[in-house]
Amino acid sequence: MLVRLADEHATGALLRDHGTLYLADGRVVHAESPAAPGIDILLTTGGRLSRADWEEAVDRAGARRTVGRFLVESGRLHEGELEICHVGALFDAAYFALTPGGGPTRFRHGAQHWIGPVRPVPAAAVAREIARRLELLDSVWPYPAVDTAPVTPRTPAPGQVVTRGQHALLSLADGTRTPVALARALGRPAFHTLLDIRRLAAAGLLETPDEPAAAPATVPSWVATVAADPDTALLRRLRDALEESL
């Protein structure tokens, strides 16, 4: 659907269960997801803006959908800073919004985001980046259960070292915070946090939760009524039903 909307030069909001992508003339201009810290968290928790400066920008320019432009014109951010942070937040949220199995997809024509235009990204580039990120995570540690489970550290082996960013994660990991909660607490993109989580798990520094067990196959209720001496057609029905349920 994203590709079709891009071909149609559509403007509006592409809504899914795990996030929303905003398009203008077929290009992605913003994305947000409950699973990814927004640009406000990246800027304020990261220390680039005060919360008061951010709230003032939203209050004064949100209704005009020019928050990004206000931050630059008021001198609170350089244009390059805004673009880098915005694109990072866009790709971060799009990763979760476009995750396979993310529920039904709907499109609200004409919808716009209050941050306003910053730097549009071609829809094809967003799709390629999401595919690259999925492959990267699986190449590091192919256990997606660590992406959503509470992060539980393990005692490092003698001589094991971690990066400064990984150390910051481990210092906040207490067995109750999930990767998303850690990303919000640190003011970091969620995908970068997931990548560090998988690297730490691969190094044996985090517990890897068990994958959810597959639901057991169920046999149709009519099977219980099969006669003691069924005919050939009934046997075929039974075989086909069992194959469909496995």
Side-chain angles (χ1 to χ4, degrees):
M1 189 172 183
L2 178 62
V3 173
R4 177 171 63 81
L5 292 168
D7 291 340
E8 295 173 355
H9 299 277
T11 295
L14 182 68
L15 298 96
R16 302 197 77 212
D17 286 354
H18 301 303
T20 302
L21 271 67
Y22 291 85
L23 286 79
D25 196 27
R27 307 181 82 188
V28 181
V29 293
H30 192 66
E32 56 188 12
S33 168
I39 188 172
D40 58 327
I41 294 176
L42 298 180
L43 287 171
T44 59
T45 305
R48 186 58 190 86
L49 276 183
S50 70
R51 173 54 63 175
D53 281 343
W54 174 262
E55 291 176 352
E56 181 187 2
V58 174
D59 288 343
R60 296 181 60 179
R64 300 193 307 272
R65 299 183 180 87
T66 57
V67 171
R69 180 51 46 197
F70 177 86
L71 289 170
V72 173
E73 292 179 351
S74 64
R76 288 166 173 79
L77 287 177
H78 297 298
E79 188 163 3
E81 289 179 302
L82 175 64
E83 289 182 0
I84 290 171
C85 189
H86 180 260
V87 170
L90 186 157
F91 279 124
D92 201 37
Y95 169 80
F96 295 97
L98 298 178
T99 295
T105 302
R106 303 166 299 282
F107 189 70
R108 185 176 299 163
H109 287 275
Q112 301 178 53
H113 195 271
W114 43 260
I115 197 166
V118 179
R119 178 176 287 275
V121 180
V126 174
R128 285 195 303 270
E129 177 61 13
I130 302 315
R132 185 191 73 84
R133 292 185 177 203
L134 286 166
E135 293 176 359
L136 178 58
L137 287 177
D138 282 345
S139 70
V140 171
W141 190 243
Y143 294 95
V146 300
D147 296 347
T148 55
V151 180
T152 304
R154 298 176 65 182
T155 303
Q160 272 191 303
V161 296
V162 297
T163 66
R164 184 165 65 176
Q166 291 171 341
H167 178 74
L169 277 175
L170 291 172
S171 66
L172 292 180
D174 56 5
T176 62
R177 289 189 175 99
T178 63
V180 169
L182 290 171
R184 291 182 183 280
L186 293 168
R188 294 179 52 188
F191 177 78
H192 296 168
T193 303
L194 294 185
L195 191 56
D196 268 341
I197 292 292
R198 293 223 193 179
R199 286 171 172 157
L200 288 166
L205 293 171
L206 296 178
E207 298 286 349
T208 298
D210 295 332
E211 295 290 338
T218 58
V219 178
S221 59
W222 61 262
V223 173
T225 65
V226 174
D229 187 20
D231 59 22
T232 303
L234 194 55
L235 285 173
R236 290 198 186 98
R237 287 172 57 203
L238 176 59
R239 179 200 62 191
D240 294 341
L242 288 172
E243 287 178 348
E244 289 176 358
S245 66
L246 295 177

